[in-house]
């Protein structure tokens, strides 16, 4: 048995329940993992509220780190006793232990702690696909990144700096803007102080940015389009402020033949070999010191509702983990 967070109905943080559930043995292609730390992400909120539909009752959580206890038939890249971390479907990471598919579970280097592993996999692999797999981005290019003081954002700031990319960060307070600058952003804009798109134009001397990376959604979408240069790419990869309304494709034409995509991490990591390659790039960034994983908050598993409230209120910085 393992303590596990589930929901039986969609709704607010009050629907989160901590229960004891059987773990079971791993089947073919699976592992059983005892978890040491669990990551908190906005996708967990989307699933809890029903924005992303789930069959109920359901366990939540997509990211964790721990020790492999057993492996099923066909699993060759992990063995009992291995340290491991993952961002993977199906949900169920909010647990002391679980049996789960092995393909997206990655061996965790000794130089990375369990807390860091739990804080970095979903967020760091997201940054990897944003910068390496979505559209070509080269040294000297300009990227606008929203919510840059969050877990994904602080990794993105450092990643951009390590690649010679000029990242313009936005955040909701001067303190968060300063944090983004300290982590490698070339410029930072407090979006509460006016039109961020106008400020982007000033910074880029009227040209606009090559790429926008926007996980905020509804509140920033229009300004994001207004920040792009002709032929620029809009990457909408989250909905923290709500879903983006329907888009008039002619608006992309009139703004300069803009491009737009709505990717998800789990498409990029669906292939086992690709997932392991992406994780290797992320681990190399961290072990080299180019990227430091900032853990801003820790909550015990039994305070999961409080953790969700803090995340939704944008009251967190860096990554948030659940301790076990």
């Amino acid at each position: 048995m393992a303590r596990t967070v589930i929901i039986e109905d969609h709704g607010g943080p009050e629907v989160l329940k901590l229960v004891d559930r059987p773990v079971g043995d791993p089947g073919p292609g699976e592992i059983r993992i005892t978890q040491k730390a669990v990551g908190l992400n906005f996708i967990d909120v989307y699933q809890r509220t029903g924005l992303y539909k789930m069959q109920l009752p359901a366990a939540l959580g997509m990211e964790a780190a721990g020790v492999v206890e057993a492996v099923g038939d066909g699993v060759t890249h992990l063995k009992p006793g291995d340290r491991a971390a993952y961002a993977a479907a199906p949900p169920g990471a909010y647990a002391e232990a679980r049996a789960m598919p092995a393909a997206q579970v990655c061996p965790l280097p000794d130089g990375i702690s369990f807390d860091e592993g739990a804080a970095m996999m979903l967020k760091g692999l997201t940054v990897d696909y944003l910068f390496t797999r979505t559209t070509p981005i080269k040294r000297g290019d300009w990227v606008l990144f929203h919510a840059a003081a969050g877990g994904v954002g602080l990794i993105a700031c450092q990643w951009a700096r390590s690649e010679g990319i000029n990242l313009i960060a936005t955040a909701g307070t001067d303190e968060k803007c300063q944090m983004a600058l300290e982590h490698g952003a070339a410029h930072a804009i407090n979006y509460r102080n006016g039109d961020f798109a106008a400020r982007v134009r000033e910074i880029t001397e009227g040209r606009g940015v090559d790429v926008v990376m926007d996980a905020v959604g509804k509140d920033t979408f229009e300004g994001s389009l207004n920040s792009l240069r002709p032929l620029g790419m809009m990457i909408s990869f989250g909905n923290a402020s709500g879903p983006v309304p329907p888009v008039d494709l002619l608006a992309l034409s009139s703004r300069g033949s803009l491009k737009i995509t709505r990717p998800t991490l789990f498409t990029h990591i669906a292939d086992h070999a690709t997932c392991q390659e992406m994780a290797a790039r992320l681990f190399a960034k961290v072990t080299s010191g180019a990227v430091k994983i900032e853990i801003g908050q820790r909550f015990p598993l039994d305070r999961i509702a409080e953790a969700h409230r803090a995340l939704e209120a944008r009251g967190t910085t860096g990554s948030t983990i659940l301790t076990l």
Side-chain angles (χ1 to χ4, degrees):
M1 304 294 287
R3 291 192 307 156
T4 304
V5 175
I6 67 166
I7 58 170
E8 295 174 332
D9 298 289
H10 292 299
E14 70 278 358
V15 303
L16 296 162
K17 295 184 177 182
L18 187 61
V19 300
D20 288 323
R21 297 183 92 188
V23 178
D25 294 324
E30 293 185 335
I31 64 162
R32 185 175 70 240
I33 184 170
T34 297
Q35 305 197 139
K36 302 297 185 180
V38 175
L40 183 72
N41 296 282
F42 247 102
I43 190 173
D44 309 342
V45 174
Y46 304 154
Q47 292 170 344
R48 190 205 75 220
T49 62
L51 179 64
Y52 292 177
K53 299 298 183 184
M54 304 178 71
Q55 185 174 350
L56 301 177
L60 292 186
M62 308 294 289
E63 173 183 51
V67 176
V68 176
E69 297 296 338
V71 301
D73 291 343
V75 177
T76 59
H77 70 292
L78 295 165
K79 64 183 185 302
D82 281 353
R83 304 169 76 252
Y86 65 86
Y94 291 0
E96 293 175 323
R98 66 183 297 202
M100 64 179 295
Q104 281 69 47
V105 182
C106 305
L108 185 65
D110 289 339
I112 300 175
S113 71
F114 289 121
D115 282 6
E116 290 170 324
M120 71 186 280
M121 293 301 290
L122 192 147
K123 304 166 190 69
L125 292 174
T126 295
V127 172
D128 180 84
Y129 87 68
L130 289 172
F131 280 90
T132 71
R133 294 176 54 83
T134 306
T135 190
I137 304 174
K138 64 183 183 300
R139 181 175 296 273
D141 280 354
W142 288 88
V143 169
L144 174 63
F145 199 102
H146 294 299
V152 179
L154 291 183
I155 295 173
C157 290
Q158 297 173 85
W159 195 291
R161 178 174 58 189
S162 74
E163 299 287 334
I165 295 162
N166 300 304
L167 186 143
I168 302 174
T170 75
T173 68
D174 291 343
E175 291 76 16
K176 288 184 176 182
C177 285
Q178 184 60 37
M179 184 175 294
L181 291 170
E182 291 170 354
H183 284 77
H187 300 270
I189 302 168
N190 184 336
Y191 61 79
R192 299 187 189 279
N193 291 342
D195 181 354
F196 69 79
R199 181 70 184 116
V200 167
R201 293 286 174 180
E202 291 176 10
I203 292 169
T204 60
E205 298 180 340
R207 177 178 179 272
V209 295
D210 301 281
V211 180
V212 176
M213 299 176 180
D214 188 341
V216 175
K218 176 174 64 70
D219 289 353
T220 52
F221 185 77
E222 191 71 15
S224 291
L225 292 182
N226 290 335
S227 299
L228 282 166
R229 65 162 177 83
L231 302 177
M233 168 65 84
M234 168 71 171
I235 307 174
S236 176
F237 69 102
N239 328 276
S241 67
V244 174
V247 178
D248 178 2
L249 290 180
L250 288 176
L252 304 181
S253 172
S254 64
R255 285 177 166 95
S257 302
L258 303 182
K259 294 165 284 187
I260 186 168
T261 185
R262 180 52 172 93
T264 176
L265 170 64
F266 298 101
T267 307
H268 284 276
I269 64 173
D271 176 72
H272 166 71
T274 301
C275 177
Q276 300 298 320
E277 290 168 6
M278 291 171 65
R281 278 196 298 270
L282 173 60
F283 293 150
K285 290 285 188 186
V286 175
T287 56
S288 71
V291 170
K292 179 181 178 183
I293 305 303
E294 296 285 350
I295 300 172
Q297 304 73 216
R298 289 175 169 84
F299 293 88
L301 188 62
D302 59 9
R303 289 170 54 198
I304 183 60
E306 182 181 344
H308 270 235
R309 290 187 184 99
L311 184 64
E312 287 182 277
R314 302 188 189 182
T316 64
T317 57
S319 298
T320 301
I321 64 169
L322 308 173
T323 56
L324 302 167

